[in-house]
Every structure is written in C-alpha cells, then in structure tokens.
Amino acid sequence: MLHAAECTDIVRHGDKPALAALIAKARLAGETERAALFNAADAARRPYYGKNVYFRGLIEFTSYCKNDCYYCGIRAGNRNARHYRLTAEEIWACAAKGYALGFRTFVLQGGEDPWYTDARICEIVSGLKERHADCAVTLSIGEKSFESYKRYYDAGADRFLLRHETANDAHYRLLHPPELSLAHRKQCLYDLRAIGYQVGAGFMVESPGQTDETLAEDFLFLRELQPHMVGIGPFVPHHDTRYAGLPTPTADFTLVLLSLLRLMLPKVLLPATTALGTVDPLGREKGLRAGANVVMPNLSPVTHRKDYMLYDNKICTGEEAAECLQCLSRRIASAGFIPDFGRGDHADRVEKAARA
Ligand code: SAM
Ligand code: FES
C-alpha cells in the first residue's frame, strides 16, 4: 500500500533504491491509492498557492534549432519540419494581445536558434519589459554561456525553463547526440540559479530508456537543485524521429509523478502541460487535481502553430489565443480551481518581496 506520509518521507529523504522502489509501487497503484496520493499532493500546495492556477502566455517564437535531440519534431535533422521565426515586433504584438487578455507572465520558447544573438534576445526582453513593466518574462531557449544568461537577466528576464531531460548519463545518451551532455545541461541550471533566475528543470515521462532507477535519479537531482518550477509531461513520439512508432503513453504515470514531485517540493510551480492535454483530453484538469498549479496557453500566431510540432497530435494548434484561453479557464474553473493571471511568482520570492 502507498501511504501519503510514507511517500512524502521517501521523496524528501529517501536514497536512490528507496525512491526507485516507491516509483515502481506508484506506477502500479490502484484507483484508491492513486486518489489518496492526488489528495495529499493537492493538500501540500494549498498553504502556499490555495486553489489558484497560474496562467502563463506561451510564445513559441522560433522553430529553428541547431540541435538534433532524437525525440524532437523540430530537431535540426528533420528535413520535413517547416520553419519560422518571429520578429521582435511580432513577439511584442503577441504579448500585447496576451496582456489585453489579462496575462502577466510571458514565456518565450524556441529551439536553439543562433539567429537570435544575445543582442536580439536582450532587445526582445527589454522591449517586453518596457511595454509591460508589471509582467514576468520567462525564457526557454536552451543552453547558453553564463555570460549570455547574465545578459538576458540584466535585460529583465525573470525566469528560465530548461528541462534537464534525465539525470542519468546513459539515458541522456539515448536521447541526445554526442555533442550534447548532461554535465553541461546541469551546469546551465546551476548558472541560472546563481544569477538569480527563478529556474525550471524537468523531464519527459516514459521517454525511451527511462526506468524507475533513472526516475529516482531525476528526483535526487531535483531535490538537490531545488528548482522553482518543474516541467514534466508524457513523451509523445513524433513521426519524423527515430522513436516514431513507439506507443503514446496514457496520462496515468505522469499524474502519479506530478503528485510525488508536489510532495517533495510543496512550493514548486508545476505545470499541467500541453503534452498531458495531448495524451488525454482531460489531462490538464487531472494534472491540476494531482498537484499541478500552472497552465501555459498558447499565444503564438495561429499561422505558425502547426510548425512548432514537437510531437504528433499536439493540441491547441488551430485556435486563436482568446478562444484557447476562454476554453481553458472555463474548464479549470469548473474543475474547482481559480484561474489566476497574476505574475504567479514562487512562494519564496513572494515572501522575500513582502519582507523587503
Ligand atoms: N530549446 C529549448 C530547450 O532545449 O530547453 C526549449 C524548447 S524544447 C522543444 C522544450 C521541451 O519540449 C524539451 O525540453 C522536451 O522535454 C520537450 N519535448 C520535445 N520533444 C518532445 C516529445 N516528443 N514529447 C514530449 N515532449 C517533448
Ligand atoms: Fe532543439 Fe528540439 S531539438 S528544440
């Protein structure tokens, strides 16, 4: 039997074998045990965030990438991928639309695209901040040097999302080409933290080669890093990758892992991801009930959405930002949560700001 108190103790203090055993057990948990786990996770975030669900406006601004991650639909080697880049003005226009809809956090995400030099990224970030001083800007643009990260931070970027993907070296090798390394990815996360960003790490669930042991290492790494955000979502195969044809997972295991992460890091900002909504039409609502507290509706121009196809059957690629938002906030409210368009900073940052 899984007991919430025991789960909490293991995720916070257990060693790798204990974590792997817990994850194996949780994978096989029956309905009643899962419901108890979800309830415990839901209760764990209440003291910090109540029933609020934070909305972030996602702007996917480039589908070019110099990397060739083996699982990713927009990888450099995919000759069938269609590419686009947004200009600074187009990005600001997406944000202006989002601002009018109520968003106060914008997430700029893209492949690692050298066309966006540091100077261009800084111009985009500072331009956003000049237009919307009350908003938080999150970047998700991959691995850069300490100096580059520092420049973006000084230009006004507040947060950075960089999933570590897996904390196990051999598993990392199964997912990435030799020029990319786990050591460098981790170093980037430590650099971002040292600079002062609110940092997000994370991984795909049921990615090729993932085991209970590699997941235990993910938990240990996250426990050590203590990120402000953790992004996890099911791995969904893309037809133009070497992992085409693998089965698409259900939402089940991701939900259990969301709960365990919430118990380990009660203050973490935890998205119910688009990938979760892709594998299950009610995936995002289920994710929120399992302990997640962030959603990231798409503000990218509809004309380009189908070209940011990381995996097959990605949802919300046909709707305008406003439609997408209305639909999602209605669904979230009827699931019993409170849509919150504020900046939605990590609880520690809110507390620190209040003390200052
Ligand atoms: N280039 C940036 C980076 O490396 O962090 C951000 C863009 S990258 C496409 C964002 C995330 O998409 C990755 O961290 C990965 O976990 C996720 N992703 C890529 N392919 C996926 C797939 N087939 N299924 C699920 N998630 C995927
Ligand atoms: Fe770079 Fe996917 S390989 S974003």
mmCIF file of all heavy atoms in Angstrom, residues 55-60 91-109 124-125 128-129 131-140 156-161 296-299 341-343:
data_model
loop_
_atom_site.group_PDB
_atom_site.id
_atom_site.type_symbol
_atom_site.label_atom_id
_atom_site.label_comp_id
_atom_site.label_asym_id
_atom_site.label_seq_id
_atom_site.Cartn_x
_atom_site.Cartn_y
_atom_site.Cartn_z
ATOM 1 N N PHE A 55 -1.739 31.221 -14.940
ATOM 2 C CA PHE A 55 -1.750 31.201 -16.406
ATOM 3 C C PHE A 55 -0.501 31.903 -16.939
ATOM 4 O O PHE A 55 -0.224 33.043 -16.558
ATOM 5 C CB PHE A 55 -3.003 31.915 -16.928
ATOM 6 C CG PHE A 55 -4.219 31.044 -16.951
ATOM 7 C CD1 PHE A 55 -4.718 30.496 -15.779
ATOM 8 C CD2 PHE A 55 -4.864 30.750 -18.150
ATOM 9 C CE1 PHE A 55 -5.850 29.677 -15.792
ATOM 10 C CE2 PHE A 55 -5.983 29.939 -18.181
ATOM 11 C CZ PHE A 55 -6.478 29.394 -17.009
ATOM 12 N N ARG A 56 0.210 31.245 -17.824
ATOM 13 C CA ARG A 56 1.391 31.839 -18.480
ATOM 14 C C ARG A 56 1.106 31.888 -19.978
ATOM 15 O O ARG A 56 0.671 30.877 -20.549
ATOM 16 C CB ARG A 56 2.647 30.990 -18.290
ATOM 17 C CG ARG A 56 2.826 30.303 -16.957
ATOM 18 C CD ARG A 56 3.023 31.258 -15.847
ATOM 19 N NE ARG A 56 3.703 30.687 -14.705
ATOM 20 C CZ ARG A 56 3.720 31.241 -13.517
ATOM 21 N NH1 ARG A 56 3.090 32.376 -13.304
ATOM 22 N NH2 ARG A 56 4.378 30.689 -12.529
ATOM 23 N N GLY A 57 1.394 32.987 -20.602
ATOM 24 C CA GLY A 57 1.195 33.086 -22.047
ATOM 25 C C GLY A 57 2.428 32.589 -22.783
ATOM 26 O O GLY A 57 3.509 33.167 -22.672
ATOM 27 N N LEU A 58 2.257 31.510 -23.520
ATOM 28 C CA LEU A 58 3.399 30.887 -24.207
ATOM 29 C C LEU A 58 3.547 31.445 -25.622
ATOM 30 O O LEU A 58 2.584 31.438 -26.399
ATOM 31 C CB LEU A 58 3.170 29.369 -24.271
ATOM 32 C CG LEU A 58 4.222 28.543 -25.000
ATOM 33 C CD1 LEU A 58 5.568 28.609 -24.288
ATOM 34 C CD2 LEU A 58 3.768 27.091 -25.117
ATOM 35 N N ILE A 59 4.736 31.946 -25.928
ATOM 36 C CA ILE A 59 5.010 32.442 -27.280
ATOM 37 C C ILE A 59 6.149 31.603 -27.867
ATOM 38 O O ILE A 59 7.293 31.692 -27.417
ATOM 39 C CB ILE A 59 5.385 33.952 -27.246
ATOM 40 C CG1 ILE A 59 4.265 34.756 -26.571
ATOM 41 C CG2 ILE A 59 5.644 34.463 -28.661
ATOM 42 C CD1 ILE A 59 4.605 36.229 -26.311
ATOM 43 N N GLU A 60 5.795 30.755 -28.818
ATOM 44 C CA GLU A 60 6.791 29.873 -29.451
ATOM 45 C C GLU A 60 7.367 30.658 -30.626
ATOM 46 O O GLU A 60 6.752 30.728 -31.677
ATOM 47 C CB GLU A 60 6.106 28.584 -29.904
ATOM 48 C CG GLU A 60 5.545 27.792 -28.729
ATOM 49 C CD GLU A 60 4.475 26.767 -29.103
ATOM 50 O OE1 GLU A 60 3.844 26.919 -30.174
ATOM 51 O OE2 GLU A 60 4.260 25.821 -28.333
ATOM 52 N N ILE A 91 6.681 39.351 -31.726
ATOM 53 C CA ILE A 91 6.651 38.829 -30.351
ATOM 54 C C ILE A 91 5.945 39.826 -29.439
ATOM 55 O O ILE A 91 5.077 39.460 -28.636
ATOM 56 C CB ILE A 91 8.092 38.536 -29.859
ATOM 57 C CG1 ILE A 91 8.690 37.391 -30.680
ATOM 58 C CG2 ILE A 91 8.113 38.218 -28.367
ATOM 59 C CD1 ILE A 91 10.178 37.155 -30.446
ATOM 60 N N TRP A 92 6.296 41.100 -29.591
ATOM 61 C CA TRP A 92 5.656 42.121 -28.745
ATOM 62 C C TRP A 92 4.150 42.186 -29.026
ATOM 63 O O TRP A 92 3.350 42.426 -28.125
ATOM 64 C CB TRP A 92 6.303 43.489 -28.972
ATOM 65 C CG TRP A 92 7.746 43.530 -28.552
ATOM 66 C CD1 TRP A 92 8.328 42.793 -27.555
ATOM 67 C CD2 TRP A 92 8.785 44.331 -29.124
ATOM 68 N NE1 TRP A 92 9.672 43.088 -27.475
ATOM 69 C CE2 TRP A 92 9.988 44.030 -28.425
ATOM 70 C CE3 TRP A 92 8.845 45.262 -30.162
ATOM 71 C CZ2 TRP A 92 11.213 44.622 -28.722
ATOM 72 C CZ3 TRP A 92 10.064 45.869 -30.463
ATOM 73 C CH2 TRP A 92 11.232 45.549 -29.742
ATOM 74 N N ALA A 93 3.775 41.967 -30.303
ATOM 75 C CA ALA A 93 2.340 42.014 -30.644
ATOM 76 C C ALA A 93 1.604 40.840 -29.979
ATOM 77 O O ALA A 93 0.479 41.013 -29.482
ATOM 78 C CB ALA A 93 2.154 41.972 -32.165
ATOM 79 N N CYS A 94 2.223 39.659 -29.973
ATOM 80 C CA CYS A 94 1.604 38.504 -29.279
ATOM 81 C C CYS A 94 1.420 38.841 -27.808
ATOM 82 O O CYS A 94 0.381 38.549 -27.206
ATOM 83 C CB CYS A 94 2.500 37.260 -29.337
ATOM 84 S SG CYS A 94 2.630 36.520 -30.941
ATOM 85 N N ALA A 95 2.454 39.456 -27.221
ATOM 86 C CA ALA A 95 2.393 39.783 -25.791
ATOM 87 C C ALA A 95 1.321 40.841 -25.534
ATOM 88 O O ALA A 95 0.584 40.753 -24.538
ATOM 89 C CB ALA A 95 3.756 40.258 -25.301
ATOM 90 N N ALA A 96 1.217 41.809 -26.437
ATOM 91 C CA ALA A 96 0.209 42.870 -26.244
ATOM 92 C C ALA A 96 -1.191 42.263 -26.247
ATOM 93 O O ALA A 96 -2.048 42.620 -25.429
ATOM 94 C CB ALA A 96 0.352 43.927 -27.338
ATOM 95 N N LYS A 97 -1.400 41.316 -27.154
ATOM 96 C CA LYS A 97 -2.683 40.615 -27.214
ATOM 97 C C LYS A 97 -2.911 39.858 -25.895
ATOM 98 O O LYS A 97 -3.987 39.906 -25.309
ATOM 99 C CB LYS A 97 -2.617 39.591 -28.349
ATOM 100 C CG LYS A 97 -3.849 39.474 -29.171
ATOM 101 C CD LYS A 97 -3.547 38.491 -30.293
ATOM 102 C CE LYS A 97 -4.531 38.533 -31.403
ATOM 103 N NZ LYS A 97 -4.209 37.579 -32.452
ATOM 104 N N GLY A 98 -1.882 39.190 -25.447
ATOM 105 C CA GLY A 98 -1.965 38.441 -24.189
ATOM 106 C C GLY A 98 -2.218 39.367 -23.019
ATOM 107 O O GLY A 98 -3.017 39.061 -22.131
ATOM 108 N N TYR A 99 -1.557 40.508 -23.033
ATOM 109 C CA TYR A 99 -1.721 41.474 -21.932
ATOM 110 C C TYR A 99 -3.183 41.927 -21.852
ATOM 111 O O TYR A 99 -3.776 41.992 -20.783
ATOM 112 C CB TYR A 99 -0.786 42.670 -22.137
ATOM 113 C CG TYR A 99 -0.697 43.553 -20.917
ATOM 114 C CD1 TYR A 99 0.239 43.306 -19.926
ATOM 115 C CD2 TYR A 99 -1.574 44.634 -20.755
ATOM 116 C CE1 TYR A 99 0.317 44.102 -18.786
ATOM 117 C CE2 TYR A 99 -1.505 45.441 -19.625
ATOM 118 C CZ TYR A 99 -0.549 45.172 -18.640
ATOM 119 O OH TYR A 99 -0.486 45.956 -17.516
ATOM 120 N N ALA A 100 -3.741 42.196 -23.036
ATOM 121 C CA ALA A 100 -5.146 42.641 -23.077
ATOM 122 C C ALA A 100 -6.071 41.538 -22.565
ATOM 123 O O ALA A 100 -7.134 41.813 -22.007
ATOM 124 C CB ALA A 100 -5.512 43.035 -24.507
ATOM 125 N N LEU A 101 -5.670 40.290 -22.742
ATOM 126 C CA LEU A 101 -6.491 39.171 -22.248
ATOM 127 C C LEU A 101 -6.284 38.947 -20.750
ATOM 128 O O LEU A 101 -6.976 38.142 -20.145
ATOM 129 C CB LEU A 101 -6.135 37.881 -23.001
ATOM 130 C CG LEU A 101 -6.547 37.820 -24.480
ATOM 131 C CD1 LEU A 101 -5.858 36.637 -25.180
ATOM 132 C CD2 LEU A 101 -8.062 37.688 -24.597
ATOM 133 N N GLY A 102 -5.278 39.614 -20.189
ATOM 134 C CA GLY A 102 -5.073 39.525 -18.741
ATOM 135 C C GLY A 102 -3.756 38.899 -18.308
ATOM 136 O O GLY A 102 -3.422 38.906 -17.127
ATOM 137 N N PHE A 103 -2.991 38.336 -19.241
ATOM 138 C CA PHE A 103 -1.741 37.648 -18.860
ATOM 139 C C PHE A 103 -0.720 38.614 -18.269
ATOM 140 O O PHE A 103 -0.551 39.728 -18.769
ATOM 141 C CB PHE A 103 -1.098 36.983 -20.089
ATOM 142 C CG PHE A 103 -1.812 35.759 -20.552
ATOM 143 C CD1 PHE A 103 -2.781 35.838 -21.540
ATOM 144 C CD2 PHE A 103 -1.533 34.520 -20.005
ATOM 145 C CE1 PHE A 103 -3.454 34.709 -21.972
ATOM 146 C CE2 PHE A 103 -2.192 33.387 -20.427
ATOM 147 C CZ PHE A 103 -3.157 33.478 -21.412
ATOM 148 N N ARG A 104 -0.010 38.137 -17.246
ATOM 149 C CA ARG A 104 1.068 38.934 -16.647
ATOM 150 C C ARG A 104 2.385 38.144 -16.583
ATOM 151 O O ARG A 104 3.335 38.560 -15.920
ATOM 152 C CB ARG A 104 0.652 39.426 -15.243
ATOM 153 C CG ARG A 104 -0.537 40.408 -15.291
ATOM 154 C CD ARG A 104 -0.207 41.711 -16.038
ATOM 155 N NE ARG A 104 -1.341 42.628 -16.107
ATOM 156 C CZ ARG A 104 -2.213 42.680 -17.124
ATOM 157 N NH1 ARG A 104 -2.093 41.868 -18.175
ATOM 158 N NH2 ARG A 104 -3.202 43.559 -17.101
ATOM 159 N N THR A 105 2.397 37.000 -17.249
ATOM 160 C CA THR A 105 3.655 36.272 -17.449
ATOM 161 C C THR A 105 3.721 35.806 -18.896
ATOM 162 O O THR A 105 2.736 35.248 -19.400
ATOM 163 C CB THR A 105 3.744 35.018 -16.543
ATOM 164 O OG1 THR A 105 3.920 35.416 -15.189
ATOM 165 C CG2 THR A 105 4.939 34.154 -16.920
ATOM 166 N N PHE A 106 4.859 36.051 -19.532
ATOM 167 C CA PHE A 106 5.053 35.570 -20.899
ATOM 168 C C PHE A 106 6.243 34.624 -20.923
ATOM 169 O O PHE A 106 7.288 34.919 -20.337
ATOM 170 C CB PHE A 106 5.275 36.742 -21.854
ATOM 171 C CG PHE A 106 4.097 37.675 -21.871
ATOM 172 C CD1 PHE A 106 4.172 38.930 -21.277
ATOM 173 C CD2 PHE A 106 2.886 37.272 -22.421
ATOM 174 C CE1 PHE A 106 3.067 39.769 -21.238
ATOM 175 C CE2 PHE A 106 1.774 38.102 -22.386
ATOM 176 C CZ PHE A 106 1.867 39.357 -21.796
ATOM 177 N N VAL A 107 6.052 33.503 -21.598
ATOM 178 C CA VAL A 107 7.126 32.513 -21.732
ATOM 179 C C VAL A 107 7.562 32.502 -23.188
ATOM 180 O O VAL A 107 6.771 32.163 -24.078
ATOM 181 C CB VAL A 107 6.632 31.102 -21.328
ATOM 182 C CG1 VAL A 107 7.768 30.088 -21.455
ATOM 183 C CG2 VAL A 107 6.062 31.109 -19.917
ATOM 184 N N LEU A 108 8.805 32.898 -23.413
ATOM 185 C CA LEU A 108 9.326 32.884 -24.784
ATOM 186 C C LEU A 108 10.100 31.597 -24.979
ATOM 187 O O LEU A 108 11.150 31.394 -24.358
ATOM 188 C CB LEU A 108 10.255 34.073 -25.024
ATOM 189 C CG LEU A 108 9.705 35.470 -24.723
ATOM 190 C CD1 LEU A 108 10.705 36.546 -25.163
ATOM 191 C CD2 LEU A 108 8.377 35.688 -25.436
ATOM 192 N N GLN A 109 9.558 30.725 -25.825
ATOM 193 C CA GLN A 109 10.220 29.440 -26.025
ATOM 194 C C GLN A 109 10.577 29.228 -27.482
ATOM 195 O O GLN A 109 9.861 29.667 -28.384
ATOM 196 C CB GLN A 109 9.314 28.292 -25.561
ATOM 197 C CG GLN A 109 10.093 26.983 -25.511
ATOM 198 C CD GLN A 109 9.230 25.786 -25.171
ATOM 199 O OE1 GLN A 109 8.544 25.229 -26.019
ATOM 200 N NE2 GLN A 109 9.272 25.397 -23.918
ATOM 201 N N ILE A 124 14.543 41.969 -27.322
ATOM 202 C CA ILE A 124 13.176 41.439 -27.199
ATOM 203 C C ILE A 124 12.720 41.511 -25.736
ATOM 204 O O ILE A 124 11.619 41.972 -25.432
ATOM 205 C CB ILE A 124 13.124 39.981 -27.724
ATOM 206 C CG1 ILE A 124 13.321 39.971 -29.242
ATOM 207 C CG2 ILE A 124 11.808 39.305 -27.344
ATOM 208 C CD1 ILE A 124 13.654 38.608 -29.829
ATOM 209 N N VAL A 125 13.604 41.082 -24.832
ATOM 210 C CA VAL A 125 13.233 41.051 -23.408
ATOM 211 C C VAL A 125 13.029 42.468 -22.884
ATOM 212 O O VAL A 125 12.005 42.778 -22.253
ATOM 213 C CB VAL A 125 14.322 40.316 -22.583
ATOM 214 C CG1 VAL A 125 14.077 40.484 -21.091
ATOM 215 C CG2 VAL A 125 14.360 38.835 -22.947
ATOM 216 N N LEU A 128 9.902 44.017 -24.135
ATOM 217 C CA LEU A 128 8.704 43.485 -23.452
ATOM 218 C C LEU A 128 8.519 44.158 -22.101
ATOM 219 O O LEU A 128 7.418 44.536 -21.717
ATOM 220 C CB LEU A 128 8.885 41.985 -23.209
ATOM 221 C CG LEU A 128 8.177 41.011 -24.129
ATOM 222 C CD1 LEU A 128 8.466 39.573 -23.719
ATOM 223 C CD2 LEU A 128 6.685 41.266 -24.110
ATOM 224 N N LYS A 129 9.638 44.299 -21.382
ATOM 225 C CA LYS A 129 9.573 44.905 -20.047
ATOM 226 C C LYS A 129 9.187 46.381 -20.113
ATOM 227 O O LYS A 129 8.498 46.886 -19.235
ATOM 228 C CB LYS A 129 10.918 44.741 -19.338
ATOM 229 C CG LYS A 129 11.170 43.326 -18.875
ATOM 230 C CD LYS A 129 10.173 42.927 -17.808
ATOM 231 C CE LYS A 129 10.784 42.085 -16.763
ATOM 232 N NZ LYS A 129 9.915 41.668 -15.702
ATOM 233 N N ARG A 131 7.272 47.696 -22.351
ATOM 234 C CA ARG A 131 5.840 47.761 -22.669
ATOM 235 C C ARG A 131 4.959 47.299 -21.512
ATOM 236 O O ARG A 131 3.857 47.762 -21.343
ATOM 237 C CB ARG A 131 5.548 46.902 -23.908
ATOM 238 C CG ARG A 131 6.046 47.553 -25.187
ATOM 239 C CD ARG A 131 6.138 46.531 -26.326
ATOM 240 N NE ARG A 131 6.532 47.197 -27.567
ATOM 241 C CZ ARG A 131 7.788 47.557 -27.853
ATOM 242 N NH1 ARG A 131 8.769 47.307 -26.986
ATOM 243 N NH2 ARG A 131 8.062 48.171 -28.988
ATOM 244 N N HIS A 132 5.463 46.311 -20.760
ATOM 245 C CA HIS A 132 4.635 45.688 -19.702
ATOM 246 C C HIS A 132 5.485 45.493 -18.455
ATOM 247 O O HIS A 132 5.887 44.374 -18.127
ATOM 248 C CB HIS A 132 4.100 44.336 -20.179
ATOM 249 C CG HIS A 132 3.446 44.373 -21.523
ATOM 250 N ND1 HIS A 132 2.276 45.059 -21.765
ATOM 251 C CD2 HIS A 132 3.804 43.841 -22.715
ATOM 252 C CE1 HIS A 132 1.940 44.939 -23.034
ATOM 253 N NE2 HIS A 132 2.853 44.200 -23.639
ATOM 254 N N ALA A 133 5.731 46.584 -17.753
ATOM 255 C CA ALA A 133 6.648 46.535 -16.604
ATOM 256 C C ALA A 133 6.124 45.630 -15.494
ATOM 257 O O ALA A 133 6.894 45.129 -14.670
ATOM 258 C CB ALA A 133 6.877 47.942 -16.080
ATOM 259 N N ASP A 134 4.815 45.410 -15.469
ATOM 260 C CA ASP A 134 4.230 44.596 -14.396
ATOM 261 C C ASP A 134 4.234 43.097 -14.717
ATOM 262 O O ASP A 134 3.646 42.306 -13.972
ATOM 263 C CB ASP A 134 2.794 45.067 -14.116
ATOM 264 C CG ASP A 134 1.921 45.106 -15.374
ATOM 265 O OD1 ASP A 134 2.475 45.144 -16.499
ATOM 266 O OD2 ASP A 134 0.684 45.083 -15.248
ATOM 267 N N CYS A 135 4.867 42.723 -15.819
ATOM 268 C CA CYS A 135 4.845 41.309 -16.223
ATOM 269 C C CYS A 135 6.169 40.611 -15.957
ATOM 270 O O CYS A 135 7.228 41.240 -15.951
ATOM 271 C CB CYS A 135 4.558 41.202 -17.718
ATOM 272 S SG CYS A 135 2.879 41.690 -18.100
ATOM 273 N N ALA A 136 6.087 39.300 -15.756
ATOM 274 C CA ALA A 136 7.303 38.482 -15.664
ATOM 275 C C ALA A 136 7.613 37.912 -17.040
ATOM 276 O O ALA A 136 6.701 37.558 -17.794
ATOM 277 C CB ALA A 136 7.086 37.353 -14.669
ATOM 278 N N VAL A 137 8.908 37.846 -17.349
ATOM 279 C CA VAL A 137 9.335 37.247 -18.620
ATOM 280 C C VAL A 137 10.136 35.984 -18.319
ATOM 281 O O VAL A 137 11.097 36.008 -17.549
ATOM 282 C CB VAL A 137 10.191 38.234 -19.443
ATOM 283 C CG1 VAL A 137 10.760 37.548 -20.683
ATOM 284 C CG2 VAL A 137 9.359 39.444 -19.849
ATOM 285 N N THR A 138 9.694 34.893 -18.927
ATOM 286 C CA THR A 138 10.383 33.608 -18.786
ATOM 287 C C THR A 138 11.010 33.262 -20.128
ATOM 288 O O THR A 138 10.347 33.377 -21.161
ATOM 289 C CB THR A 138 9.365 32.497 -18.414
ATOM 290 O OG1 THR A 138 8.666 32.891 -17.241
ATOM 291 C CG2 THR A 138 10.053 31.170 -18.189
ATOM 292 N N LEU A 139 12.247 32.833 -20.101
ATOM 293 C CA LEU A 139 12.891 32.369 -21.333
ATOM 294 C C LEU A 139 13.012 30.851 -21.304
ATOM 295 O O LEU A 139 13.212 30.258 -20.230
ATOM 296 C CB LEU A 139 14.285 32.981 -21.473
ATOM 297 C CG LEU A 139 14.356 34.486 -21.709
ATOM 298 C CD1 LEU A 139 15.816 34.958 -21.724
ATOM 299 C CD2 LEU A 139 13.670 34.868 -23.022
ATOM 300 N N SER A 140 12.894 30.236 -22.470
ATOM 301 C CA SER A 140 13.129 28.800 -22.598
ATOM 302 C C SER A 140 13.783 28.609 -23.954
ATOM 303 O O SER A 140 13.127 28.289 -24.949
ATOM 304 C CB SER A 140 11.803 28.038 -22.484
ATOM 305 O OG SER A 140 12.028 26.656 -22.652
ATOM 306 N N GLY A 156 16.223 42.017 -18.122
ATOM 307 C CA GLY A 156 14.898 41.972 -17.499
ATOM 308 C C GLY A 156 14.261 40.593 -17.404
ATOM 309 O O GLY A 156 13.160 40.468 -16.854
ATOM 310 N N ALA A 157 14.917 39.554 -17.933
ATOM 311 C CA ALA A 157 14.307 38.216 -17.847
ATOM 312 C C ALA A 157 14.256 37.784 -16.379
ATOM 313 O O ALA A 157 15.205 38.017 -15.627
ATOM 314 C CB ALA A 157 15.101 37.206 -18.665
ATOM 315 N N ASP A 158 13.134 37.184 -15.981
ATOM 316 C CA ASP A 158 12.937 36.816 -14.576
ATOM 317 C C ASP A 158 13.136 35.330 -14.322
ATOM 318 O O ASP A 158 13.539 34.925 -13.239
ATOM 319 C CB ASP A 158 11.489 37.140 -14.148
ATOM 320 C CG ASP A 158 11.140 38.598 -14.369
ATOM 321 O OD1 ASP A 158 11.438 39.412 -13.494
ATOM 322 O OD2 ASP A 158 10.575 38.927 -15.443
ATOM 323 N N ARG A 159 12.763 34.534 -15.318
ATOM 324 C CA ARG A 159 12.721 33.080 -15.098
ATOM 325 C C ARG A 159 13.301 32.368 -16.316
ATOM 326 O O ARG A 159 13.303 32.933 -17.411
ATOM 327 C CB ARG A 159 11.270 32.611 -14.908
ATOM 328 C CG ARG A 159 10.542 33.392 -13.843
ATOM 329 C CD ARG A 159 9.085 32.953 -13.731
ATOM 330 N NE ARG A 159 8.367 33.833 -12.828
ATOM 331 C CZ ARG A 159 7.091 34.152 -12.914
ATOM 332 N NH1 ARG A 159 6.345 33.627 -13.876
ATOM 333 N NH2 ARG A 159 6.532 34.973 -12.054
ATOM 334 N N PHE A 160 13.718 31.116 -16.098
ATOM 335 C CA PHE A 160 14.266 30.351 -17.223
ATOM 336 C C PHE A 160 13.856 28.892 -17.073
ATOM 337 O O PHE A 160 14.055 28.296 -16.019
ATOM 338 C CB PHE A 160 15.798 30.452 -17.250
ATOM 339 C CG PHE A 160 16.374 30.219 -18.623
ATOM 340 C CD1 PHE A 160 16.833 31.285 -19.398
ATOM 341 C CD2 PHE A 160 16.439 28.931 -19.154
ATOM 342 C CE1 PHE A 160 17.350 31.063 -20.679
ATOM 343 C CE2 PHE A 160 16.950 28.708 -20.429
ATOM 344 C CZ PHE A 160 17.415 29.774 -21.195
ATOM 345 N N LEU A 161 13.295 28.345 -18.137
ATOM 346 C CA LEU A 161 12.918 26.924 -18.145
ATOM 347 C C LEU A 161 13.931 26.141 -18.972
ATOM 348 O O LEU A 161 14.141 26.446 -20.148
ATOM 349 C CB LEU A 161 11.538 26.738 -18.782
ATOM 350 C CG LEU A 161 10.359 27.468 -18.142
ATOM 351 C CD1 LEU A 161 9.081 27.234 -18.955
ATOM 352 C CD2 LEU A 161 10.166 26.992 -16.708
ATOM 353 N N MET A 296 -0.139 26.757 -19.437
ATOM 354 C CA MET A 296 0.559 27.664 -20.355
ATOM 355 C C MET A 296 -0.145 27.725 -21.714
ATOM 356 O O MET A 296 0.311 27.128 -22.681
ATOM 357 C CB MET A 296 2.015 27.190 -20.520
ATOM 358 C CG MET A 296 2.789 27.327 -19.224
ATOM 359 S SD MET A 296 4.345 26.457 -19.176
ATOM 360 C CE MET A 296 5.251 27.254 -20.445
ATOM 361 N N PRO A 297 -1.253 28.468 -21.781
ATOM 362 C CA PRO A 297 -1.937 28.570 -23.073
ATOM 363 C C PRO A 297 -1.068 29.258 -24.116
ATOM 364 O O PRO A 297 -0.213 30.090 -23.795
ATOM 365 C CB PRO A 297 -3.179 29.405 -22.764
ATOM 366 C CG PRO A 297 -3.217 29.616 -21.306
ATOM 367 C CD PRO A 297 -1.902 29.247 -20.728
ATOM 368 N N ASN A 298 -1.340 28.882 -25.353
ATOM 369 C CA ASN A 298 -0.506 29.336 -26.461
ATOM 370 C C ASN A 298 -0.947 30.708 -26.978
ATOM 371 O O ASN A 298 -2.100 30.902 -27.338
ATOM 372 C CB ASN A 298 -0.653 28.287 -27.578
ATOM 373 C CG ASN A 298 0.508 28.305 -28.520
ATOM 374 O OD1 ASN A 298 1.141 29.339 -28.703
ATOM 375 N ND2 ASN A 298 0.794 27.171 -29.127
ATOM 376 N N LEU A 299 -0.004 31.644 -27.027
ATOM 377 C CA LEU A 299 -0.296 32.966 -27.602
ATOM 378 C C LEU A 299 0.357 33.141 -28.976
ATOM 379 O O LEU A 299 0.297 34.221 -29.564
ATOM 380 C CB LEU A 299 0.230 34.078 -26.682
ATOM 381 C CG LEU A 299 -0.355 34.220 -25.278
ATOM 382 C CD1 LEU A 299 0.313 35.387 -24.547
ATOM 383 C CD2 LEU A 299 -1.861 34.444 -25.337
ATOM 384 N N PHE A 341 -4.295 35.155 -13.249
ATOM 385 C CA PHE A 341 -3.475 35.704 -14.338
ATOM 386 C C PHE A 341 -2.329 36.565 -13.829
ATOM 387 O O PHE A 341 -1.626 37.193 -14.599
ATOM 388 C CB PHE A 341 -4.362 36.509 -15.292
ATOM 389 C CG PHE A 341 -5.241 35.629 -16.124
ATOM 390 C CD1 PHE A 341 -6.416 35.112 -15.612
ATOM 391 C CD2 PHE A 341 -4.863 35.270 -17.408
ATOM 392 C CE1 PHE A 341 -7.208 34.260 -16.361
ATOM 393 C CE2 PHE A 341 -5.644 34.433 -18.173
ATOM 394 C CZ PHE A 341 -6.829 33.924 -17.639
ATOM 395 N N GLY A 342 -2.151 36.609 -12.508
ATOM 396 C CA GLY A 342 -1.064 37.411 -11.936
ATOM 397 C C GLY A 342 0.297 36.857 -12.339
ATOM 398 O O GLY A 342 0.386 35.820 -13.004
ATOM 399 N N ARG A 343 1.353 37.503 -11.880
ATOM 400 C CA ARG A 343 2.705 37.056 -12.224
ATOM 401 C C ARG A 343 2.954 35.633 -11.745
ATOM 402 O O ARG A 343 3.682 34.878 -12.372
ATOM 403 C CB ARG A 343 3.745 37.959 -11.550
ATOM 404 C CG ARG A 343 4.050 39.251 -12.269
ATOM 405 C CD ARG A 343 5.043 40.071 -11.424
ATOM 406 N NE ARG A 343 6.244 39.333 -11.095
ATOM 407 C CZ ARG A 343 7.454 39.575 -11.592
ATOM 408 N NH1 ARG A 343 7.617 40.557 -12.451
ATOM 409 N NH2 ARG A 343 8.496 38.853 -11.210
#
